[in-house]
Amino acid sequence: MRKFFRQLSLPKKLILIGVVPLAFLAYIGFQFYREKSEKVQLLELYTQRIYQSENLSELIDALLNERKLSFDLTIKQELGEGLQEQRRETDSLIRLLHRNSDISLLQFEQYTFVNGLDSARKRVDRGVATPGEIMNTFTNMIFRLNTLNSSFPATQIYLRPVSHELAAQRLITEMLTYLGILRSNIFNVLHTRQYMVETLIGTQGVHQIYHSYEREFQLKAPPSIYRMYSDMRRAGELKPTVEYLDTLFVTFTFNDRYTAAEWWAVSDKGINDLRQLQQQIWEITKSKVNGVLKQEIRERDEALVFLLLAFVAVALLVGFTLVVIGNTLKELNLAAGKIAAGDPDVKIAVQADDAIGSLADSIREMERQVRERTVALQQSNTELETSNRELEQFAYVASHDLQEPVRKIRTFADQLKVKNYEQLDESGRKYLDKILSSADRMKMIINDILQFSQLHRDPEEMKKVDLNTVLANVQSDLELLISQKNAEISIRKLPVIQSIPFQMNQLFYNLMNNALKFSRPGVAPVINITVSEAPANLVKAKLSTPPAASRYYRITFADNGIGFEQEYAEKIFVMFQRLTSERTGTGIGLALCRKIVENHKGHIEAHSKPGEGTRFDILLPEKQ
C-alpha cells in the first residue's frame, strides 16, 4: 500500500485523500436528507388533506342549510329567505374544492351526487319537487361527501401525534351529519303536523347511530376535547337539542314544547355549538401537524448542515495537507528566487520521490533559463505597454474622432442629395437615402454609447428633485409626439427624492418615449404613471445590495402598447438588444434606464404580454 501510494502523482494523492471520504459522507448525508425530505413532503400532503377536510365540512354545512331552505320553499311555495345567497355560498365552496390538487377529489361531483345539484334546484324553483325528494337528494350528497371527509390516514406513523384529534374530528363530522338529518326530519313533522309514530320509528335508526358516534367520540377523543364536549352537552346550546330528541325516541309522542320554527332555532344553536367545537379541533389538529412538520423541517435542515460541516471538515483536512506541501514548495520557491537573483551556491536536496522531487530537479535547470526568460519578459512588457497605449487611443477615437467622419459623411451626403438627387436613378436615390439613414443611426449609436459610458454616481451631484417637475419637462419635450398619437397620459402625484436631475430626466424620457413609440397600430396610447411606498420585504427581495434608505418608492409606467413575451423581460435591458425590426432606436435606451436606476441604488424590471401592453416597475430610495 505504501509503495502504491508513493508511486501516485501529487494530484492523485490529494484526490484520494479528499474525494473518497468526501464521497462517502456525501452519500450518507444525501440518503438521510432525502429520507427527511420525503417525510416533510408527506407531512405537507397530510396538512393539505386536513385543510381539504375542513373545506369539505364547510360544504356539508352549506348543503345542510340549503336543504332546509329548499325544504321550506317546497312546503310554503314561496321563496325562502336567504336561499339564493346560500346557493352562492355552496357554489363557492364547490369551486374551492375543484381547485384542490388532491387526486382524491378529482371529479368528486361525478360520484357524490353533487352533479345533480343544478337539476334539483331547478325542480325546487319550478315548484315540482316534493319535500321527500328534497330530503333524499341533499341527504345523499351529504352522506357521500362525508365519506371523503373521513379518508385521513390517522394511523400512519407520521401522524400518530395527532391521531386522536383526527379521529375526534371525523366523529364530530359524522355527528353533525346525523344530527342535521334528525333536525330536518323532526322539523318536517312539526311543520306538517303529521304526528305519525311510523315517522319516528323510521328515524329511530338515525338517532341510534348518532349516539353510537357520540359513544365512540367519548372513547377515542383526547380527554381535553371530550371535556369540552361534555361541558357543551351538560350546559351548552347542544343540551336542549339532544334532550328533546332523546325524549321523542323514548316516548314516541310529540308535545307542544316547540313549534317547527322554534325547534329549528333551538337545534340551529345546538348544531352551531357543535360546529364551534369542530373548528376548535381543527385548530388544535392543524397546530399539532404544523408542529410535527416544523420539527421534520428542522431535522432535515440539520441534516443539511451536518452534510455541509462534513464537507468543510474534509476540506480542512485537504487544506492542511496542502499547507504542508505548500511550505515545502515555499522553500523550493525561495531557492528558485535565489537562483533567479544570480546566486550559484544554492543547494537543493531531493525531498521525495514524487512531483516535489521532480520540481527540485527542475529548479536546477531554472538558473540556466532565467536570463532567457527575463529577456522574453521584458519584450512582453514592451508589447503590453504598446497595447495599452493603443487601447487608450481607441477609447479617444471612439469618444471623439468617430463623430467627425460621421458628420462629414452626413454633410457630403446632404450636399449630394441637394445638388444631384434628381440626376440619380431610382437605385442611386435608394442607396443615398440608406447612406443618410445609416449616418444618422451611427451618430445616435455613438452619442448613446458616450452617454452610457459617462453615467456615474457622484454624491456631489445628488440633490432634492421633484419628479413631478421632471415628468412635466419630459411631457413638454415629447409634446409633438403625444399630440400626433393622441396619447392619453394619467399621472399620480410623484414624490421628491434625492437624485441626479438630468439622469432622472433621461430615465423618464426613455420610458415615456418607448410607450409612445411602441403603441399598437390604430390604437391611441394610454400611459398610466402611478406611485406608492414600497414594502420593506419587496425592497429587500428585489435589491442585490442592502437598501440605501429606509423608504423606497415604487413608480410604475404602464401602457397599452404592442407588448412582448415575458421571457424577454431581461433581454430588453441589454445594450443593442431590440425585440422588433424597428430601426429608429439604438437598443441602448433601456440599458441607460437600468444604469440610471442602479446608480441611484434602485431596481427596475418589466412585465409584459403581447398585445396587452408593458409595465415597468421602478424602485427608488427617498434619500441616498
Side-chain angles (χ1 to χ4, degrees):
M1 176 62 72
R2 183 178 179 182
K3 182 178 180 181
F4 168 76
F5 193 78
R6 284 175 58 85
Q7 290 176 346
L8 290 175
S9 64
L10 179 60
K12 290 181 179 179
K13 290 177 182 177
L14 294 178
I15 291 174
L16 188 62
I17 292 172
V19 172
V20 172
L22 187 63
F24 178 74
L25 288 173
Y27 176 77
I28 298 294
F30 175 75
Q31 292 298 327
F32 183 73
Y33 182 77
R34 186 178 65 176
E35 179 183 346
K36 285 294 182 182
S37 297
E38 290 175 353
K39 188 174 180 180
V40 167
Q41 292 175 359
L42 192 58
L43 283 170
E44 288 174 343
L45 175 62
Y46 292 158
T47 303
Q48 293 175 5
R49 286 285 183 90
I50 289 173
Y51 283 99
Q52 164 198 310
S53 186
E54 187 173 10
N55 294 334
L56 278 169
S57 296
E58 292 177 358
L59 177 57
I60 289 172
D61 288 343
L63 287 170
L64 286 168
N65 290 333
E66 185 174 340
R67 181 179 66 179
K68 191 267 179 184
L69 295 171
S70 300
F71 184 84
D72 287 348
L73 178 58
T74 59
I75 294 176
K76 299 177 182 179
Q77 294 300 312
E78 58 183 24
L79 185 62
E81 183 179 357
L83 178 57
Q84 296 303 327
E85 182 178 350
Q86 181 59 56
R87 287 177 175 178
R88 286 192 292 271
E89 180 182 347
T90 302
D91 292 340
S92 176
L93 290 168
I94 292 173
R95 287 193 296 271
L96 179 63
L97 289 176
H98 267 299
R99 292 195 294 270
N100 197 300
S101 60
D102 193 334
I103 193 172
S104 66
L105 288 180
L106 183 64
Q107 297 182 349
F108 69 93
E109 73 279 5
Q110 300 296 325
Y111 52 83
T112 58
F113 306 106
V114 174
N115 58 350
L117 184 59
D118 287 340
S119 176
R121 287 173 175 174
K122 290 177 181 178
R123 289 180 59 79
V124 169
D125 293 342
R126 292 199 305 268
V128 298
T130 64
E133 179 185 342
I134 294 302
M135 280 293 174
N136 183 64
T137 299
F138 280 89
T139 300
N140 286 343
M141 294 181 202
I142 292 166
F143 267 120
R144 193 62 180 87
L145 287 170
N146 200 47
T147 62
L148 298 179
N149 209 12
S150 58
S151 60
F152 298 116
T155 58
Q156 218 284 340
I157 186 172
Y158 297 146
L159 289 181
R160 282 182 181 175
V162 293
S163 59
H164 292 295
E165 284 79 5
L166 290 174
Q169 177 58 46
R170 179 184 62 82
L171 293 169
I172 286 288
T173 301
E174 298 287 359
M175 291 164 65
L176 279 168
T177 301
Y178 284 93
L179 191 58
I181 295 171
L182 287 169
R183 74 187 289 233
S184 298
N185 288 345
I186 300 305
F187 174 81
N188 184 20
V189 173
L190 292 174
H191 188 82
T192 59
R193 296 183 177 276
Q194 296 178 1
Y195 304 125
M196 297 169 54
V197 175
E198 291 80 0
T199 302
L200 290 176
I201 293 175
T203 314
Q204 184 181 16
V206 178
H207 179 255
Q208 291 172 343
I209 292 175
Y210 171 80
H211 278 296
S212 72
Y213 279 120
E214 186 180 46
R215 176 59 178 163
E216 186 179 356
F217 182 80
Q218 178 185 4
L219 296 173
K220 294 183 178 180
S224 59
I225 292 177
Y226 184 71
R227 281 195 297 272
M228 296 164 62
Y229 177 75
S230 297
D231 292 341
M232 183 192 308
R233 281 280 275 113
R234 185 175 60 257
E237 299 290 352
L238 185 62
K239 178 182 178 182
T241 301
V242 177
E243 286 182 349
Y244 183 68
L245 291 171
D246 291 345
T247 302
L248 280 178
F249 288 103
V250 170
T251 63
F252 287 94
T253 57
F254 286 90
N255 53 39
D256 295 331
R257 182 175 179 181
Y258 297 122
T259 64
E262 291 171 344
W263 162 248
W264 192 263
V266 168
S267 59
D268 190 55
K269 292 179 180 178
I271 287 180
N272 285 337
D273 219 7
L274 196 56
R275 284 175 182 154
Q276 290 177 7
L277 175 61
Q278 182 187 45
Q279 186 60 38
Q280 288 176 292
I281 298 175
W282 278 132
E283 296 304 324
I284 293 171
T285 304
K286 287 188 286 188
S287 176
K288 286 191 174 184
V289 171
N290 286 333
V292 175
L293 179 59
K294 289 179 181 178
Q295 174 66 24
E296 291 301 324
I297 292 175
R298 183 165 54 253
E299 291 181 3
R300 182 195 64 184
D301 294 342
E302 288 173 354
L304 181 60
V305 171
F306 171 79
L307 179 60
L308 292 176
L309 289 176
F311 269 84
V312 170
V314 174
L316 289 175
L317 178 61
V318 173
F320 175 76
T321 305
L322 290 174
V323 168
V324 173
I325 296 175
N327 288 335
T328 304
L329 294 176
K330 185 176 181 181
E331 295 176 5
L332 293 175
N333 183 58
L334 181 61
K338 290 181 179 181
I339 293 175
D343 187 350
D345 297 327
V346 176
K347 302 298 182 182
I348 302 174
V350 176
Q351 300 184 17
D353 187 15
D354 56 16
I356 296 179
S358 298
L359 178 61
D361 294 334
S362 299
I363 290 177
R364 295 188 182 94
E365 182 68 13
M366 185 185 301
E367 196 277 334
R368 184 184 64 80
Q369 298 180 359
V370 67
R371 291 182 180 85
E372 296 178 4
R373 294 183 179 179
T374 300
V375 173
L377 182 60
Q378 289 174 347
Q379 183 178 355
S380 297
N381 287 339
T382 302
E383 293 175 354
L384 181 60
E385 290 176 0
T386 302
S387 177
N388 286 337
R389 286 195 298 270
E390 290 175 353
L391 287 173
E392 292 175 358
Q393 182 66 22
F394 175 78
Y396 177 79
V397 171
S399 61
H400 296 88
D401 294 358
L402 282 180
Q403 297 186 57
E404 181 61 26
V406 171
R407 282 195 295 268
K408 288 182 177 180
I409 292 172
R410 177 66 189 182
T411 299
F412 291 141
D414 281 337
Q415 292 180 2
L416 182 62
K417 185 172 184 178
V418 170
K419 296 178 179 180
N420 303 98
Y421 195 74
E422 297 300 330
Q423 284 76 31
L424 297 174
D425 59 13
E426 183 178 353
S427 176
R429 294 175 185 176
K430 180 179 178 181
Y431 293 149
L432 179 58
D433 290 339
K434 285 185 176 292
I435 291 172
L436 289 169
S437 175
S438 297
D440 289 340
R441 180 165 176 77
M442 176 63 76
K443 182 179 180 181
M444 289 172 60
I445 292 174
I446 293 173
N447 288 336
D448 283 351
I449 291 175
L450 287 174
Q451 191 175 30
F452 186 85
S453 63
Q454 292 169 0
L455 283 179
H456 63 283
R457 186 178 183 272
D458 188 348
E460 295 182 358
E461 295 181 357
M462 293 285 178
K463 58 183 66 177
K464 287 187 175 180
V465 176
D466 187 342
L467 298 183
N468 298 286
T469 302
V470 173
L471 199 53
N473 292 336
V474 169
Q475 284 185 273
S476 178
D477 293 341
L478 294 171
E479 182 178 4
L480 179 59
L481 184 58
I482 292 171
S483 176
Q484 289 174 344
K485 295 216 171 190
N486 196 25
E488 177 185 337
I489 302 176
S490 172
I491 306 173
R492 297 282 182 88
K493 183 174 177 59
L494 300 178
V496 176
I497 66 171
Q498 190 177 19
S499 60
I500 302 173
F502 85 90
Q503 289 191 11
M504 286 295 103
N505 186 85
Q506 185 70 53
L507 171 65
F508 285 6
Y509 181 92
N510 287 355
L511 291 175
M512 186 172 289
N513 187 48
N514 256 32
L516 293 169
K517 183 166 64 173
F518 296 111
S519 59
R520 284 181 287 165
V523 178
V526 176
I527 305 172
N528 291 309
I529 305 172
T530 59
V531 64
S532 62
E533 186 172 342
N537 59 343
L538 175 66
V539 174
K540 291 180 180 179
K542 296 297 183 181
L543 297 185
S544 58
T545 58
S550 58
R551 175 183 292 180
Y552 269 73
Y553 291 104
R554 177 166 57 186
I555 301 172
T556 300
F557 275 70
D559 62 56
N560 64 336
I562 60 176
F564 56 83
E565 294 289 353
Q566 186 61 29
E567 61 184 284
Y568 301 117
E570 279 300 312
K571 181 180 178 181
I572 62 173
F573 292 108
V574 178
M575 290 184 65
F576 305 117
Q577 294 292 328
R578 291 193 301 262
L579 303 185
T580 70
S581 58
E582 180 72 41
R583 302 295 295 178
T584 58
T586 63
I588 301 178
L590 290 178
L592 281 170
C593 290
R594 172 162 282 183
K595 180 73 172 177
I596 291 169
V597 172
E598 290 176 350
N599 279 350
H600 289 78
K601 304 296 185 183
H603 175 79
I604 183 172
E605 63 184 23
H607 302 272
S608 187
K609 193 172 183 181
E612 297 184 10
T614 302
R615 186 185 82 245
F616 288 92
D617 291 335
I618 310 162
L619 295 178
L620 290 173
E622 182 182 35
K623 297 179 180 179
Q624 294 291 324

